[in-house]
Amino acid sequence: MGRVSGWILRVAGIVVTACCLIAAGRFLLPQPGAGEIPGSTERQLSFLRAALDDGADTAAQQQFPEGHLFSNALYGLAWVQAAHAEPGLRSQAVRESRWALARLESEEGRAVFSPQLRPAYGIFWAGWTNWLRGAILSLDSSDSAQVQRFSEHSQEIAQAFAASDTPFLQAYRGQAWPVDSTVAIASLRLHDKLFGARHSAVIERWLDQA
């Protein structure tokens, strides 16, 4: 009996060691660059879409206040990045990222944010939503309504920064984090890159203040 137990322990040790080596190799071996996507990207994104369809974003919301937004925003942005690296994915990426944007703008997506803040629903929601909308337009700017909304939302964000004494706007009433404003400012820079300089003064002022 003792010999059998020892044999089982040795096998278990070999298996655990092999798993550790494989895991280490995945970290140490060369990884795809920013302009490349691994062959499994579509499968991974399909898996994430299925999880979102099954309520993964709602479940994430139970874990932290931004769970729903992050789940959908990062899904949409991942599709945009994949399409920039692989143009053949463009039509699917536009469709999926627009679906994700609609989730951000849904009643559930806005539920924990206040419409009384400026910009509306706070800088966290406004910044990530604007960033995703602009990212989608970097793939396809043929939807004039979305172009107009991007322009209007960018202007609302810019006006909020221009009227503020601090570079870090509120995400929730009385609460602000620098990273949230950073995303919003990046969305203004993206707007200017896609449609011409309009918010450069606000961006430069923010950089000086930050």
Side-chain angles (χ1 to χ4, degrees):
M1 186 69 176
R3 291 182 178 179
V4 173
S5 298
W7 179 81
I8 292 174
L9 288 173
R10 283 195 294 274
V11 171
I14 292 171
V15 171
V16 171
T17 300
C19 289
C20 290
L21 290 173
I22 292 171
R26 294 188 66 179
F27 282 108
L28 297 174
L29 291 174
Q31 299 296 311
E36 306 173 58
I37 62 171
S40 61
T41 296
E42 288 183 75
R43 293 197 303 275
Q44 292 176 28
L45 289 172
S46 294
F47 171 83
L48 291 175
R49 172 59 192 265
L52 290 171
D53 286 337
D54 286 340
D57 49 359
T58 301
Q61 186 66 30
Q62 307 308 312
Q63 303 300 315
F64 63 105
E66 298 83 25
H68 184 278
L69 187 144
F70 269 135
S71 298
N72 290 289
L74 297 180
Y75 173 75
L77 290 168
W79 265 114
V80 171
Q81 182 176 351
H84 278 299
E86 178 52 66
L89 297 175
R90 180 176 169 275
S91 61
Q92 186 176 5
V94 170
R95 182 176 66 252
E96 290 298 314
S97 55
R98 283 176 175 169
W99 176 86
L101 178 61
R103 306 275 281 196
L104 266 61
E105 297 187 307
S106 69
E107 184 175 342
E108 183 178 6
R110 300 191 307 259
V112 299
F113 305 104
S114 171
Q116 276 74 49
L117 294 176
R118 290 294 175 266
Y121 300 101
I123 200 62
F124 178 87
W125 182 89
W128 279 99
T129 302
N130 209 48
W131 177 251
L132 178 55
R133 192 188 313 280
I136 295 169
L137 292 173
S138 74
L139 291 178
D140 180 6
S141 59
S142 63
D143 187 333
S144 59
Q146 287 300 320
V147 172
Q148 181 65 24
R149 293 191 72 178
F150 185 43
S151 178
E152 291 173 353
H153 289 183
S154 294
Q155 183 64 21
E156 182 183 7
I157 290 171
Q159 288 174 344
F161 278 116
S164 175
D165 293 330
T166 172
F168 308 126
L169 305 185
Q170 295 180 81
Y172 302 97
R173 191 175 299 279
Q175 301 180 73
W177 291 265
V179 66
D180 299 338
S181 291
T182 302
V183 174
I185 287 292
S187 77
L188 297 186
R189 183 73 84 183
L190 179 58
H191 176 278
D192 286 6
K193 178 181 178 181
L194 295 176
F195 301 109
R198 181 176 178 182
H199 305 297
S200 56
V202 169
I203 295 169
E204 294 307 318
R205 176 176 179 263
W206 185 89
L207 289 171
D208 290 341
Q209 288 180 316

